[in-house]
Amino acid sequence: MESTFPVFDPASPQAESIRDLFVHVLLISAGIFAIVSGLICVALYRFRVTEKLPVQDFGSHKREIAWMAGPVIIVVWIAAISIKLILTINALPTQYVKGATAEQDGVDIVVTGHQWWWEIEYPASGIVTANEIHIPTGKKLRVALRSEDVIHCFWVAQLTRKMDAIPGHENFVWLEADKPGTYQGRCAEYCGTQHAWMNFLVIAHDPDDFAAWQQREKQTSTPPTEKLASDGAALFMKLTCSQCHAVAGTDAKEDFAPDLTHLASRAQLGAGVIKNTPDNLRTWLANPQAVKPGCKMPNFKLKDEQLDQLVAYLETLR
Ligand code: CUA
């Protein structure tokens, strides 16, 4: 799934131009490296220790001007092509008016960084999910980036530039994918103990599949009918799960922790730390601190029976 060198495997026009700039600068640097190391080798050979000193050369205006002008031209050139690219790919907050809602600003997705997971909201449809961004292909989406705690950095190497998510300040980025697929996203700014496990997936669908996903995602949960699962649903409310999490259609409405409305349909748990399987979900519930030390989910020291009930319930959240 994940590309070994995602920057070299772009899947959006934006990522492609970033790759091109990177290769451009890399070639210039490689050229300079080759010239400098070549000259060092020549000097080492020609002026190796011999009987007599080489001819001493004190100053040359022409050469001094040349070695000043050369680097200046190169630096100005690199700055020019970088600024041009930044201006092309940036989603500037031009229409953003203080106090305007996300919809008014034409925001398609609001992404909020938390230690250590991502909250994903679609203002138009009211869908809320976590650590998984579903998008239709071929559409340039405006993403607003926010943070609830410290500075995080949103980065999908195959699709976007990096952009910080800063508390109290909204940033924007364009998100677009050429073809359907799953793209790895990461937090690219050190943000505490579990920075390394603050991953997310961008799942790009054909527009029809995306519409179907939206339809499923809009449905709220229905109370489970099966005994084990319905005991789990009661336990979920009785324990303090509902004081941090939300499950649409129930009394659990908090947004301190990931929204669990469609938890069982997601690919990963704990912002990418483990795959989302019933066994892994059980391991996670049994002791989240063992799976992701430092995460905000406490160890509830659940009994085996309680684990069975909770897993049965959470697996109904599709
Ligand atoms: Cu969030 Cu690093």
Side-chain angles (χ1 to χ4, degrees), residues 285-298:
L285 292 170
N287 186 1
Q289 294 301 320
V291 183
K292 191 170 175 177
C295 77
K296 303 274 165 77
M297 170 119 166

Side-chain angles (χ1 to χ4, degrees), residues 116 152 187 189-191 195 198:
W116 292 277
H152 302 278
C187 179
E189 177 73 51
Y190 182 73
C191 56
H195 157 71
M198 190 168 162

Side-chain angles (χ1 to χ4, degrees), residues 113 165 198 206 271 316:
M198 190 168 162
D206 283 326
T316 67

